Amino acid sequence: MPLLFFGLATFVLTYPVSLHLQDAVLDPADPMLNAWILAWDAHILPRDPLSLYHANDFYPYSNTLAYSEALLGQGLVAIPLIWLTHNPILAVNVVWLASFILSGVGMYALVYHFTRRRGAALVAGMIFAFNPFRFAHLFHIQILSAQWISFTFLFLDRLVKQRRWSDWAWFVIFFNLQVLSCYYYALFIIVSVMALLLGYWLLDRRRFDRRLLLRLLTFAALTAALQIPLSLPYFTVAESMNFERSVGDAVGGGADLTDFITAPPANWLYGALSAGLRDEGWWEHVTFPGLCALVLAVVGATWGRGRKSALRAPTALYLLLAGITLTLSLGPALRLGERTIFSPLPYRLLFDYAPGFQAVRQPARFHAFTMVGLSVLAGVGVAAVGDRLRNLRWARGVPLALACLIAAENLALPLPFTHAPLADQIPPVYHWLAEQPGDGPVLELPILMDVGAVESPRLYYSTFHWKRLVNGYGGFFPPTYAYFLFFDREFPNQPYRWILGLGVRYVLLHRWQYDAQELQRIDARLVEFHDRLRLVADFGEDQVFEVIQPATGLSNRPLSAFSWSGKVALLGYAIEPPVARPGETVEISLFWQNRAPVATNYTVFVHLAGDDGALMAQHDGQPASGERPTSTWRRDEVIVDVHTVLISEETTAGMYEARVGMYELQTMERLPVLEGDGMIHGDFLPLGRLYVVEN
């Protein structure tokens, strides 16, 4: 019955999206990003599971899936569905709908466990599954995927009280499912479980005997063994790319007091009333629980703490949980609008000392756990009302009436959506890409400030070709992407050196995303680059340019298959100008990428050699003119290292090969250049050729 009830409620309250699961997306940004993530999981896990986090976005960086959620919990349903239907949009929508249904069922099970009242459990499930916070995050599948929280707390209660290994097993399963569904909630559920354990200990310390402690320690050890390997890429990326939030970010992402009376704009009842409180990014600042939930929770908290109440323990536990998580949702400071009332709050301790919280931008998302506490208290409140009205004929209809009232309070129909193109509807340029050999890399232009709406569809389209993209979208952005964002409008002049240096093979120019004046300027500049950016496919509004390396006359390609002692790779290079005269200087830009810590400060040499191997010119020096010694390079960091080589007046006309390598200055010993299989290639890497012509 609960499954059918919440299924029907979900179908109605998500209309008309619930009728268009095959191709509907609420927004072109996050839903299409999530479709790409789930498609990547389905693509890579059966082929190379150890490369899960090395997704095809944000080339040339590694562990780029860790810039977002991996959605492995959602993948348990979505991945088989993608294998079966080849439709990631359908998969993400099925997971989206299931989050509402299972959130309701989970809370129903938790409250029924405490109250043994189906009506109370039904109302609590409606509050948790359908509330303003969830409707504000309709396009965030990871935030909606809170269904395993209630199941986790249910079996935690059973474990504490009965100490059975079967309850321990379900507690482990549901806890880890929740961790794998959302890493925000992974951090928050650890805090919440600790808060509940504190509550159990305060209520009855005798429960914490050796049997229970053994089970809790075993749970912690097993969970750590499973989750640490899966979370390491997140910590690796945070350290290597310096992806951390500031205290100011956490303050801005905390709930201010006005957020607790703010509803989504589409809400029929409260949307217009709270319009003046919503600002940019309003969806992160909706922590209004709904009046029905609030009133019922107050009734439950009041009645449940009474001396004669049989529900004193769960009331105290979930009042404690609601209080702690509400306080933490405020972030490091108590604010009213732009004004700080008090600082610091307890969240500052988590930010300063708890691993992982430095990456949290939105402490307000703790509100999901506050809603767990309020939903349980509301269930207790409905049970209290039921006891008072049990002698009345119509008392049995009260829970259903309350459930309908909660649904009406959260109506936001019809949900707006757009149709996502399926395989036979995607732009033909991506079918063309799928037919090309190799894995790119590909740069798609323009890069616009509305990053999510622009890049998420490109990521989704990449599921049809799986080429590596310089583009991407996530919670963080790497430096090279920021460079192209800044210089996008200067294409191809300013970005060309970086396009060469990163080893980009194709540039996709989406003409329809430029205005007419910008296109005129770009077309005029492209004429000058006709021999370096070769038009290889023209689909009208979408054009593909193949990048030509002037030093070889061949298609540009990454050189990252080679490395110096397995620690440093050369992505690519640019020789400017490719033709020089005696007495002139040539700039050779090397684009290094660090793969492992380097303890020694190596010297880079750039040689220009004739066909007989004789040295014509050279430049030796520390990278980036000594400003970036190799010992300072962070993992995955891209270093642009420019060497200016003087062509002497005595140089004869001809072709000269550029060679690059590294050596230790004190010993003059060169680092070996290794091929991808670990075989030694030599002690230098030959690049392209420089042409010297007579004066």
Side-chain angles (χ1 to χ4, degrees):
M1 173 190 166
L3 191 63
L4 290 175
F5 178 85
F6 289 110
L8 179 61
T10 298
F11 179 82
V12 172
L13 292 174
T14 60
Y15 176 85
V17 177
S18 52
L19 295 176
H20 300 276
L21 299 183
Q22 184 178 3
D23 63 351
V25 289
L26 292 164
D27 181 86
D30 287 83
M32 297 191 85
L33 169 69
N34 293 328
W36 165 75
I37 292 173
L38 291 171
W40 171 257
D41 293 345
H43 169 76
I44 200 65
L45 285 175
R47 293 172 173 83
D48 185 7
L50 295 181
S51 296
L52 170 66
Y53 284 94
H54 302 312
N56 70 313
D57 64 331
F58 288 134
Y59 167 84
Y61 298 95
S62 61
N63 290 315
T64 55
L65 191 63
Y67 293 14
S68 302
E69 297 277 355
L71 302 182
L72 294 176
Q74 293 86 340
L76 293 177
V77 172
I79 290 174
L81 195 55
I82 292 172
W83 290 340
L84 184 65
T85 66
H86 305 287
N87 185 348
I89 299 296
L90 174 63
V92 79
N93 282 332
V94 168
V95 170
W96 180 75
L97 277 187
S99 74
F100 288 97
I101 298 170
L102 293 177
S103 291
V105 171
M107 184 54 66
Y108 177 96
L110 179 61
V111 171
Y112 182 77
H113 168 72
F114 289 133
T115 66
R116 297 297 169 181
R117 309 288 178 83
R118 297 186 185 278
L122 203 68
V123 173
M126 284 294 294
I127 290 172
F128 186 61
F130 307 102
N131 58 70
F133 174 79
R134 288 179 62 83
F135 277 94
H137 288 278
L138 281 177
F139 43 85
H140 287 148
I141 193 173
Q142 70 274 24
I143 302 302
L144 294 178
S145 297
Q147 61 266 27
W148 309 121
I149 299 173
S150 301
F151 290 107
T152 300
F153 293 169
L154 166 61
F155 285 98
L156 173 63
D157 188 78
R158 292 167 63 101
L159 175 62
V160 169
K161 292 175 180 176
Q162 301 177 28
R163 302 173 183 80
R164 294 186 304 196
W165 282 108
S166 58
D167 294 324
W168 172 89
W170 285 114
F171 173 56
V172 170
I173 290 170
F174 288 123
F175 181 93
N176 282 281
L177 278 174
Q178 188 56 67
V179 169
L180 293 174
S181 298
C182 176
Y183 275 111
Y184 262 75
Y185 289 170
L187 298 172
F188 298 170
I189 199 171
I190 293 172
V191 174
S192 299
V193 166
M194 292 175 65
L196 288 176
L197 287 173
L198 172 63
Y200 285 115
W201 184 79
L202 291 173
L203 288 171
D204 189 354
R205 301 179 187 181
R206 293 171 299 177
R207 294 187 187 276
F208 286 77
D209 56 14
R210 291 183 179 180
R211 292 172 60 201
L212 179 58
L213 292 176
L214 172 63
R215 285 155 178 75
L216 291 175
L217 288 173
T218 308
F219 152 75
L222 183 60
T223 298
L226 173 64
Q227 297 297 341
I228 287 177
L230 292 173
S231 61
L232 277 179
Y234 288 91
F235 289 99
T236 299
V237 163
E239 180 181 2
S240 63
M241 304 300 294
N242 198 26
F243 284 168
E244 291 185 352
R245 307 295 185 184
S246 66
V247 175
D249 292 332
V251 170
D256 76 52
L257 295 180
T258 61
D259 295 346
F260 294 97
I261 55 172
T262 302
N267 185 285
W268 284 13
L269 191 57
Y270 306 116
L273 295 175
S274 59
L277 301 176
R278 290 189 297 272
D279 205 344
E280 185 179 357
W282 59 266
W283 50 88
E284 297 290 0
H285 294 279
V286 173
T287 52
F288 175 54
L291 281 180
C292 289
L294 193 58
V295 170
L296 290 172
V298 170
V299 172
T302 304
W303 180 84
R305 290 187 297 116
R307 292 183 179 181
K308 297 182 179 181
S309 173
L311 299 174
R312 290 185 66 188
T315 301
L317 283 170
Y318 285 88
L319 191 58
L320 176 67
L321 176 69
I324 289 176
T325 55
L326 186 147
T327 302
L328 293 174
S329 73
L330 299 172
L334 180 64
R335 295 178 301 124
L336 179 62
E338 298 297 324
R339 185 163 62 94
T340 298
I341 299 173
F342 180 80
S343 179
L345 292 179
Y347 183 86
R348 181 61 188 265
L349 295 174
L350 293 178
F351 182 88
D352 287 340
Y353 301 109
F357 277 88
Q358 293 78 16
V360 172
R361 181 178 57 180
Q362 305 293 347
R365 293 178 179 178
F366 255 115
H367 184 71
F369 290 81
T370 305
M371 287 306 303
V372 174
L374 292 179
S375 299
V376 172
L377 293 174
V380 174
V382 174
V385 172
D387 284 348
R388 294 293 180 90
L389 303 178
R390 62 179 177 270
N391 294 325
L392 299 177
R393 289 184 178 180
W394 45 268
R396 290 187 177 182
V398 170
L400 184 59
L402 287 172
C404 292
L405 187 60
I406 292 163
E409 191 181 19
N410 288 282
L411 277 179
L413 302 178
L415 295 185
F417 72 94
T418 58
H419 289 282
L422 302 181
D424 57 344
Q425 302 164 334
I426 68 168
V429 64
Y430 297 107
H431 288 299
W432 181 90
L433 264 183
E435 296 170 354
Q436 307 311 305
D439 58 358
V442 177
L443 170 65
E444 298 195 46
L445 297 176
I447 294 178
L448 303 175
M449 292 303 296
D450 190 6
V451 177
V454 173
E455 299 294 5
S456 291
R458 293 172 180 174
L459 288 172
Y460 167 68
Y461 293 142
S462 79
T463 65
F464 297 94
H465 60 74
W466 290 123
K467 298 287 190 287
R468 289 180 293 173
L469 300 179
V470 176
N471 307 73
Y473 177 53
F476 296 94
F477 295 90
T480 57
Y481 184 87
Y483 175 88
F484 285 113
L485 176 63
F486 188 76
F487 288 108
D488 171 72
R489 291 303 185 269
E490 301 299 321
F491 176 78
N493 291 7
Q494 189 74 17
Y496 179 73
R497 181 170 67 110
W498 278 68
I499 290 171
L500 270 185
L502 293 177
V504 173
R505 182 171 183 181
Y506 295 114
V507 175
L508 266 63
L509 193 68
H510 300 290
R511 300 179 64 86
W512 57 277
Q513 291 181 314
Y514 290 96
D515 62 39
Q517 290 184 342
E518 286 177 326
L519 271 181
Q520 287 180 353
R521 290 193 293 267
I522 288 173
D523 286 340
R525 291 193 292 260
L526 280 171
V527 172
E528 302 173 10
F529 281 78
H530 70 279
D531 57 339
R532 289 168 283 175
L533 291 169
R534 182 186 301 158
L535 181 64
V536 291
D538 192 342
F539 299 93
E541 292 300 309
D542 297 310
Q543 294 177 322
V544 184
F545 293 88
E546 186 175 26
V547 182
I548 304 301
Q549 171 58 263
T552 63
L554 303 175
S555 297
N556 198 37
R557 60 185 178 88
L559 301 176
S560 50
F562 299 95
S563 69
W564 277 257
S565 294
K567 295 182 178 181
V568 176
L570 184 67
L571 297 172
Y573 64 95
I575 300 177
E576 298 169 312
V579 179
R581 298 177 184 275
E584 295 181 344
T585 59
V586 175
E587 284 192 349
I588 300 180
S589 301
L590 306 174
F591 285 70
W592 302 102
Q593 187 173 40
N594 192 28
R595 291 181 173 174
V598 179
T600 304
N601 289 326
Y602 292 106
T603 299
V604 176
F605 67 84
V606 176
H607 291 173
L608 293 175
D611 290 336
D612 58 357
L615 189 63
M616 181 270 287
Q618 73 178 85
H619 182 273
D620 294 29
Q622 293 284 312
S625 301
E627 294 183 3
R628 291 305 312 275
T630 53
S631 63
T632 68
W633 293 4
R634 297 192 306 271
R635 178 182 171 86
D636 243 16
E637 185 179 12
V638 175
I639 305 293
V640 182
D641 177 23
V642 181
H643 294 260
T644 302
V645 181
L646 174 64
I647 310 299
S648 69
E649 295 285 357
E650 293 77 23
T651 303
T652 59
M655 292 188 301
Y656 295 87
E657 182 180 68
R659 300 172 176 178
V660 63
M662 287 185 172
Y663 62 89
E664 188 175 356
L665 184 60
Q666 292 181 345
T667 64
M668 300 301 291
E669 182 180 357
R670 291 186 180 184
L671 283 179
V673 179
L674 305 181
E675 298 181 8
D677 57 4
M679 298 294 292
I680 296 178
H681 177 80
D683 59 7
F684 67 86
L685 184 66
L687 304 180
R689 294 183 178 273
L690 170 73
Y691 294 85
V692 177
V693 297
E694 295 180 353
N695 284 317

